[in-house]
């Protein structure tokens, strides 16, 4: 509306956050923070346009109409939102940035030990492995993946027998980075995430608040892709030029394409694809085409 105002950074002004939270049906101590995050996503996805930065005025964005369009339009908006959140997840802790600016007035990326391209590549690699683990024949399917196993999948070389202490330390560091990143990625709907147990990050000298089961791997974090997350990662893989087949892609193709396409599939996926292909044809016509 015409009374809506934003600050210099494009965020909704603080005094309007309670009303925004109420509009979104949010309550509790974090309601205003969630409303602020939602507003930033709206700006990032083009649902809202900032018309005058100095006055802080806004207007409905051109893409706002997509939310009442087709399901594919809505998914397109979500994919844009996902890219914005993935970019945020690749940025180091803002406290470090603030400290660096306070000390020298400028942000020295080398002092933060942060390479934007490497960080983005690391997260893409982790998400790619999570996708492969989810859809693979031997993968967990709908079961969550332990965070240590996921971190190790991008750190530990495949031909390494017993990981060295140095490699194990790298895996541990990667887990802590991923813990922060998956906490950011869960609200966008990409994953369901059980964070790392806070007791694991406490000082060794401190007594745990409650007895802990050392063999409980879930304490180290568990993550699984949502159906929406599977869709999103597959779309990103296809955009990047990777092959990411899905069951049903070949249902309307010829028998030659079906046989060639399912040759490298795991058995269960090949079976499901062939069943869908047969379902769209009469038995005699299907048999003739296959022969």
């Amino acid at each position: 509306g015409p009374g809506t105002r934003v600050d210099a950074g494009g965020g909704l002004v603080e005094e309007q956050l309670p009303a925004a939270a109420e509009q979104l049906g949010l309550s509790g101590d974090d309601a205003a923070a969630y409303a602020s995050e939602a507003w930033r996503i709206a700006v990032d996805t083009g649902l809202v346009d900032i018309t005058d930065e100095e006055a802080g005025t806004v207007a409905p964005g051109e893409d706002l109409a997509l939310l009442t369009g087709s399901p594919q339009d809505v998914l397109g908006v979500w994919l844009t939102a996902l890219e914005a959140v993935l970019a945020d997840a690749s940025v180091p802790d803002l406290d470090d940035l603030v400290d660096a600016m306070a000390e020298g007035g400028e942000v020295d990326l080398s002092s933060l030990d942060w390479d934007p391209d490497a960080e983005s590549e690391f997260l893409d690699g982790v998400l790619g492995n999570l996708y492969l683990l989810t859809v693979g024949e031997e993968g967990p399917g709908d079961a969550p993946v332990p965070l240590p196993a996921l971190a190790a999948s991008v750190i530990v070389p495949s031909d390494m027998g017993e990981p060295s202490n140095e490699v194990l330390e790298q895996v541990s560091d990667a887990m802590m980075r991923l813990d922060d990143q998956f906490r950011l990625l869960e609200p966008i709907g990409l994953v369901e995430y059980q964070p790392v147990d806070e007791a694991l990050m406490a000082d060794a000298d401190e007594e745990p608040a409650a007895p802990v089961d050392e063999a409980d791997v879930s304490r180290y974090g568990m993550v699984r892709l949502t159906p929406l997350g599977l869709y999103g990662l597959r779309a990103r893989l296809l955009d990047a030029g990777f092959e990411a087949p899905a069951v049903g892609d070949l249902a309307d193709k010829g028998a030659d394409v079906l046989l060639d396409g399912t040759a490298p599939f795991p058995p269960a996926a090949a079976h499901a694809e062939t069943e869908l292909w047969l379902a769209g044809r009469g038995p005699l016509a299907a048999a003739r085409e296959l022969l």
Side-chain angles (χ1 to χ4, degrees):
T4 303
R5 292 290 180 271
V6 294
D7 58 27
L12 199 60
V13 292
E14 192 171 342
E15 55 267 27
Q16 293 187 348
L17 287 174
E22 186 177 350
Q23 285 280 339
L24 294 170
L26 299 170
S27 60
D29 295 339
D30 295 326
Y34 289 146
S36 178
E37 289 177 18
W39 176 266
R40 290 188 180 281
I41 288 293
V43 173
D44 288 341
T45 52
L47 305 181
V48 176
D49 285 337
I50 299 173
T51 54
D52 188 330
E53 291 186 8
E54 193 170 331
T57 54
V58 296
E62 186 178 330
D63 288 346
L64 187 61
L66 295 175
L67 293 185
T68 53
S70 69
Q72 198 64 43
D73 288 339
V74 178
L75 286 170
V77 172
W78 180 79
L79 284 172
T80 305
L82 175 62
E83 291 301 326
V85 176
L86 285 171
D88 286 344
S90 297
V91 174
D93 192 319
L94 288 179
D95 290 339
D96 293 339
L97 285 173
V98 171
D99 291 343
M101 291 182 71
E103 289 174 9
E106 295 181 1
V107 178
D108 180 8
L109 296 183
S110 62
S111 71
L112 295 176
D113 192 24
W114 176 53
D115 180 338
D117 293 334
E119 193 65 32
S120 178
E121 188 177 328
F122 168 77
L123 184 55
D124 280 343
V126 168
L127 293 175
N129 281 5
L130 181 58
Y131 180 86
L132 290 174
L133 286 169
T134 304
V135 302
E137 190 80 6
E138 303 301 324
D142 291 334
V145 178
L147 198 58
L150 189 56
S153 72
V154 293
I155 299 291
V156 182
S158 58
D159 58 351
M160 178 177 281
E162 188 71 24
S164 64
N165 289 336
E166 183 182 355
V167 168
L168 290 175
E169 188 174 335
Q170 290 176 18
V171 170
S172 180
D173 290 342
M175 280 174 52
M176 293 301 99
R177 285 158 62 196
L178 289 172
D179 182 60
D180 290 336
Q181 290 170 330
F182 282 132
R183 288 173 193 256
L184 286 175
L185 294 173
E186 186 174 38
I188 197 67
L190 184 77
V191 295
E192 293 176 8
Y193 182 56
Q194 177 182 323
V196 176
D197 187 345
E198 297 288 344
L200 292 172
M201 294 180 274
D203 291 337
D205 296 335
E206 292 182 11
E207 286 291 329
V212 293
D213 180 2
E214 297 293 340
D216 183 8
V217 71
S218 68
R219 298 177 61 227
Y220 296 89
M222 302 288 284
V223 61
R224 93 173 100 210
L225 285 175
T226 65
L228 184 60
L230 274 170
Y231 165 81
L233 290 190
R234 179 171 184 262
R236 296 185 85 240
L237 286 168
L238 292 173
D239 283 345
F242 291 97
E243 285 190 18
V247 171
D249 281 354
L250 309 180
D252 59 347
K253 303 292 192 295
D256 54 340
V257 178
L258 173 74
L259 295 172
D260 283 342
T262 55
F265 278 21
H271 191 105
E273 184 69 65
T274 305
E275 281 190 336
L276 284 175
W277 188 89
L278 291 170
R281 293 160 176 77
L284 183 59
R288 281 176 172 159
E289 193 174 342
L290 284 168
L291 288 170

